[in-house]
Amino acid sequence: NDYISSKHQPSGLDKKIKEDTKFISILQVPLIVKGEVIGLMHINKYGGMSRLNRSDVKFVELFCEQLAISVNNFTLYEEVEEQRNQAE
């Protein structure tokens, strides 16, 4: 099995992309805040590069958790600023 993650089985589209491209690895990680997907991190490794390993995947998952929190905090900050500006 070429797929590291046991969380999700690859779709037919995932398999087709892998077959039709020179990608060595494809990784997609959702950015989730409070159970809601707010974005998607998509990473490809291709020709001549080593495949993504479990350590790479774990690093990206942890990075995406922090990124989702940062994006959410920025969104909340913008909302508060907008409300403050409207109140002035």
Side-chain angles (χ1 to χ4, degrees):
N1 185 358
D2 286 339
Y3 300 93
I4 294 174
S5 177
S6 61
K7 292 180 183 177
H8 306 286
Q9 291 300 317
S11 70
L13 179 59
D14 292 333
K15 291 177 184 177
K16 178 121 177 74
I17 289 171
K18 188 171 188 275
E19 291 169 3
D20 291 350
T21 65
K22 295 181 180 180
F23 295 146
I24 302 299
S25 299
I26 300 169
L27 176 63
Q28 295 178 330
V29 180
L31 305 177
I32 301 172
V33 175
K34 298 179 184 173
E36 181 181 338
V37 176
I38 64 166
L40 180 71
M41 174 70 76
H42 181 94
I43 297 173
N44 300 323
K45 276 192 162 185
Y46 56 91
M49 300 175 75
S50 62
R51 292 176 56 191
L52 291 169
N53 60 40
R54 288 186 190 281
S55 177
D56 296 330
V57 171
K58 186 64 179 167
F59 174 80
V60 173
E61 287 174 340
L62 292 172
F63 176 80
C64 286
E65 287 175 13
Q66 294 301 310
L67 179 59
I69 291 167
S70 295
V71 168
N72 187 58
N73 287 343
F74 182 75
T75 301
L76 293 173
Y77 174 80
E78 282 187 321
E79 289 172 5
V80 168
E81 284 295 304
E82 184 178 325
Q83 290 172 1
R84 191 181 77 183
N85 290 336
Q86 288 175 357
E88 291 178 349

